Amino acid sequence: QVQLVESGGGSVQAGGSLRLSCAASGNIHSRHCMGWFRQAPGKEREGVVVIEGDGRTTYADFVKGRFTISQDNAKNTLYLQMNSLKPEDPAMYYCAAGPVCSGFYIIGIYWGQGTQVTVSS
């Protein structure tokens, strides 16, 4: 069992930045894939970025150059640094993890409860 708890969401102005955190616990290992997904009201959940155990990443085109994923193994925490936020970025952002992945497809996926991001113009 894996538990994921997101934090760091909030409201920022367009062009601003936020840093999301995902604290992982339970039966999670370094080879797990971890990532961030988001879902806006009335829209499908979409992948933002996934990082594999070897550090390989898959970023969605709409966040390339603006968002960066990172990990702190000592704290067992995943981060998403979000810069240059746009009006289309508001959504519930979810942390996810699983033992195997290919791009945004994560097998045996676990989800956090999400953290809300709002952008004002």
Side-chain angles (χ1 to χ4, degrees):
Q1 184 69 36
V2 174
Q3 294 83 45
L4 305 170
V5 180
E6 303 97 331
S7 62
S11 180
V12 298
Q13 295 186 87
S17 299
L18 283 173
R19 190 190 194 197
L20 307 184
S21 298
C22 172
S25 61
N27 190 24
I28 189 165
H29 304 285
S30 62
R31 290 191 295 175
H32 264 74
C33 300
M34 298 191 70
W36 294 92
F37 293 72
R38 70 185 189 184
Q39 186 170 23
K43 297 183 178 180
E44 297 180 3
R45 186 171 296 187
E46 60 186 352
V48 177
V49 57
V50 170
I51 185 167
E52 301 178 37
D54 63 1
R56 190 173 304 171
T57 57
T58 300
Y59 284 91
D61 288 340
F62 56 81
V63 301
K64 286 183 178 178
R66 299 190 297 125
F67 294 5
T68 304
I69 192 170
S70 62
Q71 293 175 293
D72 185 333
N73 291 329
K75 297 180 179 180
N76 205 22
T77 301
L78 181 74
Y79 301 98
L80 181 67
Q81 180 66 47
M82 306 189 297
N83 298 326
S84 301
L85 284 160
K86 299 178 178 181
E88 59 264 37
D89 291 324
M92 185 71 74
Y93 283 72
Y94 297 91
C95 181
V100 179
C101 68
S102 177
F104 290 119
Y105 182 54
I106 301 176
I107 302 295
I109 194 166
Y110 292 87
W111 295 100
Q113 288 296 110
T115 185
Q116 184 68 48
V117 172
T118 302
V119 179
S120 61
S121 59

